[in-house]
Amino acid sequence: MSRKPIIAGNWKMNLLQSEAKALFDGIKDFAKGFSESQLPGIVIAPTFTSLSAVASEKCNCGAGCDKIAIAAQNCHWKSSGAYTGEVSVEMVKDAGCDYVIIGHSERRQYFSETDEMINLKAKSILAGGLIPIICCGETLEQRESGITDSHIASQIKAALDGISSEDVAKSVIAYEPIWAIGTGKTCDANEANRVIAMIRNVVKEVAGVSAADSIRILYGGSVKPSTIEEQMSKSDIDGALVGGASLTAESFNEIIANTMKVSV
Ligand code: 13P
């Protein structure tokens, strides 16, 4: 079955509001030249402080730029309460988000986010009508000791535990090998495709064939304009979660344009 690809830009902890708006405008200007059906799904994940500013730049002109979606880079699973420093699903929705990235390796590593928390977040995001982008991936050590597949399978099973097949189908997974993030070392496209096909099999096991066919599974880790065509030519790679190369309109737009050459 054909799945519409997604190119998502994770801006991480970068850009002030004015810079975020300017970058968003640069992407919007490019997308304006196309209809929605010509473009991949485009998702932009600014910092919490820039969400509203970026969302207010969205237009209503009817061209492809209308459909650029906004993602938060995290959220809490509780709806409100005494959780200093946290932001709920309803709050990010109110700020203009359609998606929330969860389980990024930087959050697992630096902020002790566990599989259990990621599962709670996924459930609460879906209950709030948004779409989780669930990240998974192995360290270099795990890869070298041959436990890549079992580690990722267990991350995915835990993240999707108790979620209905319909909700799994609309979710997004991002496979991001940790050793490829921000290092310039892209995972070989065949290997990324192999791991992503393995993830799809895990989804089939837990949520059935139709969810496995529908769910979009992205690759992330040093994606650049020069790598995306080969990645997108693979059977199971449905798009990219881009860090560094999403921070200029020039490189991010080139990634979108190169994606359009091979799929969409
Ligand atoms: P880089 O593209 O900078 O390697 O980052 C990938 C990433 O972590 C996206 O979430």
Side-chain angles (χ1 to χ4, degrees), residues 3-264:
R3 296 175 289 268
K4 189 176 174 69
I6 293 178
I7 300 296
N10 176 6
W11 291 353
K12 306 191 179 182
M13 196 172 74
N14 294 293
L15 309 174
L16 300 178
Q17 289 186 43
S18 57
E19 297 166 324
K21 277 164 85 158
L23 176 52
F24 185 81
D25 287 346
I27 298 162
K28 199 172 86 174
D29 286 347
F30 169 81
K32 221 182 215 84
F34 303 93
S35 67
E36 188 195 354
S37 61
Q38 292 174 299
L39 290 165
I42 303 172
V43 181
I44 302 295
T47 60
F48 283 135
T49 51
S50 288
L51 286 176
S52 296
V54 166
S56 70
E57 294 297 290
K58 284 179 73 164
C59 64
N60 244 325
C61 69
C65 50
D66 275 10
K67 304 296 174 205
I68 301 178
I70 316 265
Q73 296 175 18
N74 181 31
C75 68
H76 198 278
W77 59 89
K78 296 272 189 180
S79 54
S80 63
Y83 301 99
T84 303
E86 292 294 329
V87 175
S88 72
V89 172
E90 201 185 348
M91 288 166 188
V92 298
K93 190 174 178 181
D94 188 46
C97 290
D98 312 286
Y99 291 80
V100 187
I101 298 173
I102 52 172
H104 193 282
S105 62
E106 288 149 15
R107 294 215 55 86
R108 293 180 191 254
Q109 182 182 352
Y110 305 131
F111 304 97
S112 309
E113 204 160 289
T114 63
D115 282 338
E116 191 192 1
M117 291 178 194
I118 292 156
N119 177 244
L120 290 168
K121 289 180 188 202
K123 285 175 174 158
S124 135
I125 291 161
L126 287 158
L130 302 192
I131 298 172
I133 300 177
I134 304 163
C135 302
C136 62
E138 80 287 1
T139 62
L140 187 57
E141 208 183 357
Q142 287 166 328
R143 172 159 285 268
E144 283 172 348
S145 50
I147 57 164
T148 297
D149 291 13
S150 59
H151 172 69
I152 290 169
S154 103
Q155 284 183 323
I156 296 302
K157 282 181 185 161
L160 300 180
D161 187 44
I163 297 179
S164 71
S165 298
E166 295 70 36
D167 278 349
V168 170
K170 54 175 118 111
S171 300
V172 176
I173 291 174
Y175 167 54
E176 300 204 302
I178 297 170
W179 48 271
I181 296 179
T183 58
K185 281 188 219 153
T186 317
C187 180
D188 172 76
N190 284 325
E191 172 59 9
N193 191 56
R194 187 196 68 77
V195 175
I196 288 177
M198 184 279 297
I199 294 171
R200 204 176 296 288
N201 250 327
V202 173
V203 173
K204 188 166 134 192
E205 224 179 276
V206 300
V209 67
S210 148
D213 275 349
S214 304
I215 192 168
R216 263 84 58 88
I217 312 182
L218 318 182
Y219 167 77
S222 296
V223 171
K224 297 182 267 301
S226 59
T227 65
I228 191 74
E229 266 186 78
E230 192 189 0
Q231 288 155 344
M232 291 310 300
S233 69
K234 302 296 172 195
S235 59
D236 280 84
I237 303 182
D238 300 325
L241 181 55
V242 187
S246 71
L247 290 172
T248 68
E250 194 190 9
S251 57
F252 192 66
N253 292 342
E254 207 180 330
I255 289 173
I256 298 169
N258 289 347
T259 299
M260 289 158 69
K261 287 186 197 163
V262 276
S263 44
V264 181

